[in-house]
Amino acid sequence: MTNHSCPEEEALRHWGMKRFLIPAFAAVAIVAAGGYTPGDPVDAVRSRSYYRTSSGAIEYCVDGNRFELGSKPVPADAASFVVVDESYAKDRNVMFFRSVPHPEVDVESFHIDRGVPKDRYHVYRDDNGAFIAFDDVDIPSFENVWEEDYRGPWALDVNRYYFRYHPIDVDRATFRKLNTEFYADKHGIYTFMQGDSFRCMSNKVQESSVVNDAYVRVADTLYFVYRIGRLELRTHPVRDVSSLRVVSRSTVCVDGVVLVDNEPFAAQEADAATIEQPKEFVPFLHRDRNHVCYRQGILDGVVPSTFRRSGDGWKDGNGNHYDRFGKRLWPVLVRLLRRRAPSTDPMILLLTRMEYRGRLPCGPDPTSITDGYGREGP
């Protein structure tokens, strides 16, 4: 009996065997390397990175993962060595940052205060592995704030705010973070622009309000900072504030218009009154009462009310299947995914690229199949 399976499906089965063998060989290599850690933790409560070897020497090994990250000797007096924090330690003579001694630090007064390394003379910080001292601050009151801010670090003392340990010219008493993009004090609304320049974009503080995690409204204008490619401060007029509705972090509706990244939705058919982005949707997918949209384009033939998760992808009531980003799948890919092959499998990714370029070597005649953007197959 002739076997009509595709070469790609045969390759997929061979790849499954490789995925089993690779972890097995890795486990053997770990045992041969003598395990992960170089010894016993010096102080497991304060740090998982300082270890005492069988000879009594001190080594620094990040998270004890010697197999992947290696370890470095710490030139310390082992008898007086104590751990201060995850990456800080000292002996009777010197302070260590990771494995490097820093004799310029006052070892007697060195401590960690609310996450900040300090001694009686300086505040210190880790700048991508470089240990840097700052002395033009009020040392006792200096502390980090807004540690979740992806630009960080932010800090303050009794006198002022600091961004990346440089003072910011704002009112210390009223300065506050509005959302991930905007800040305010009694004088104005601020944001970061090109080169991390801190810019006051409006002084209408009393007429401002936070819309969500990315937008603010100031008087009759919506503001949004677009940071993909060329950085832009985007604005959009607001006529009726009561019509403002949040759909997601980047999508809002106002005055009957759908805005994505503060620009009108490309598909004008999108309904501002009903458009939504359910929690299970990826960022580029939207749905209203009549359409499902991918990258602001309408997906043809989709029934919005039945569009739902199916494994790693999507399907609707018409039997159409889509990948996790909303791109329509051809039947050969659907067959493979139904066999529970993960969507990250190299063979799946290869076939997806071939399908997109019209080079799929097997499966049914694709001439009557569209690719999810309305384009006909090859």
Side-chain angles (χ1 to χ4, degrees):
M1 183 174 182
T2 304
N3 186 357
H4 296 289
S5 63
C6 304
E8 286 77 11
E9 294 182 35
E10 291 292 332
L12 181 62
R13 285 193 285 272
H14 289 299
W15 178 254
M17 180 61 70
K18 290 181 181 178
R19 286 185 301 173
F20 171 78
L21 292 175
I22 290 172
F25 284 125
V28 172
I30 290 171
V31 173
Y36 281 103
T37 62
D40 296 323
V42 176
D43 186 339
V45 174
R46 294 185 176 180
S47 175
R48 296 177 56 192
S49 298
Y50 286 104
Y51 290 84
R52 195 180 303 273
T53 68
S54 57
S55 65
I58 307 298
E59 288 194 9
Y60 181 80
C61 178
V62 178
D63 289 332
N65 190 350
R66 185 179 63 173
F67 176 69
E68 292 182 332
L69 304 177
S71 63
K72 293 183 178 180
V74 180
D77 174 62
S80 61
F81 184 84
V82 294
V83 174
V84 179
D85 201 31
E86 181 61 39
S87 298
Y88 301 93
K90 61 183 180 179
D91 62 16
R92 62 184 178 182
N93 301 312
V94 68
M95 188 280 297
F96 298 90
F97 172 56
R98 300 179 181 171
S99 62
V100 179
H102 286 271
E104 73 277 13
V105 176
D106 181 67
V107 66
E108 182 180 348
S109 63
F110 181 79
H111 65 290
I112 305 297
D113 178 21
R114 292 165 290 183
V116 180
K118 300 178 180 180
D119 65 15
R120 71 183 69 176
Y121 305 111
H122 301 92
V123 166
Y124 302 91
R125 73 181 178 101
D126 170 11
D127 185 11
N128 293 323
F131 192 64
I132 299 176
F134 292 85
D135 53 11
D136 190 20
V137 300
D138 181 73
I139 297 172
S141 64
F142 189 92
E143 63 178 314
N144 292 323
V145 293
W146 305 334
E147 294 184 14
E148 76 285 356
D149 194 316
Y150 68 92
R151 294 179 197 85
W154 283 92
L156 61 82
D157 61 17
V158 294
N159 301 311
R160 51 195 172 182
Y161 274 85
Y162 303 83
F163 175 69
R164 295 183 179 172
Y165 288 73
H166 297 287
I168 295 290
D169 186 19
V170 294
D171 179 67
R172 165 69 174 80
T174 61
F175 186 65
R176 60 198 183 277
K177 181 182 171 85
L178 299 180
N179 56 23
T180 60
E181 299 293 343
F182 298 98
Y183 309 79
D185 66 7
K186 66 180 182 181
H187 301 300
I189 310 292
Y190 307 85
T191 191
F192 284 97
M193 297 304 294
Q194 204 71 39
D196 284 332
S197 61
F198 199 57
R199 169 182 166 186
C200 181
M201 52 175 235
S202 175
N203 59 6
K204 299 180 180 179
V205 182
Q206 301 304 319
E207 301 177 64
S208 66
S209 63
V210 178
V211 176
N212 67 356
D213 198 39
Y215 285 84
V216 295
R217 180 186 62 82
V218 182
D220 58 357
T221 304
L222 277 177
Y223 289 86
F224 178 91
V225 180
Y226 185 74
R227 298 190 179 276
I228 300 177
R230 185 170 64 89
L231 189 148
E232 297 178 60
L233 178 62
R234 293 180 175 177
T235 63
H236 188 85
V238 177
R239 295 193 304 272
D240 180 9
V241 175
S242 65
S243 70
L244 184 59
R245 182 173 70 89
V246 174
V247 177
S248 68
R249 184 185 188 277
S250 60
T251 306
V252 298
C253 301
V254 66
D255 301 325
V257 178
V258 180
L259 302 175
V260 176
D261 298 336
N262 218 16
E263 290 192 339
F265 205 75
Q268 297 182 2
E269 307 96 315
D271 180 38
T274 61
I275 195 165
E276 61 178 356
Q277 193 174 69
K279 290 182 178 180
E280 68 270 20
F281 276 27
V282 294
F284 298 130
L285 277 173
H286 294 80
R287 176 177 66 191
D288 65 19
R289 61 185 171 187
N290 298 315
H291 313 98
V292 173
C293 306
Y294 172 65
R295 290 189 179 275
Q296 304 184 44
I298 304 297
L299 293 179
D300 294 333
V302 178
V303 181
S305 61
T306 63
F307 190 78
R308 63 192 185 277
R309 273 287 186 192
S310 176
D312 287 339
W314 310 86
K315 68 178 180 180
D316 68 10
N318 287 343
N320 298 314
H321 290 259
Y322 305 82
D323 70 12
R324 58 184 177 143
F325 299 111
K327 184 177 181 299
R328 190 169 178 179
L329 295 173
W330 285 7
V332 65
L333 293 180
V334 174
R335 289 206 310 272
L336 290 171
L337 291 171
R338 280 176 175 170
R339 296 178 184 178
R340 300 181 181 271
S343 61
T344 55
D345 189 293
M347 282 305 304
I348 295 291
L349 296 176
L350 172 63
L351 287 173
T352 301
R353 286 194 296 270
M354 295 176 71
E355 172 263 328
Y356 182 76
R357 297 169 183 168
R359 299 174 183 171
L360 199 63
C362 58
D365 179 8
T367 54
S368 63
I369 302 175
T370 62
D371 64 1
Y373 294 90
R375 298 188 299 240
E376 292 290 328

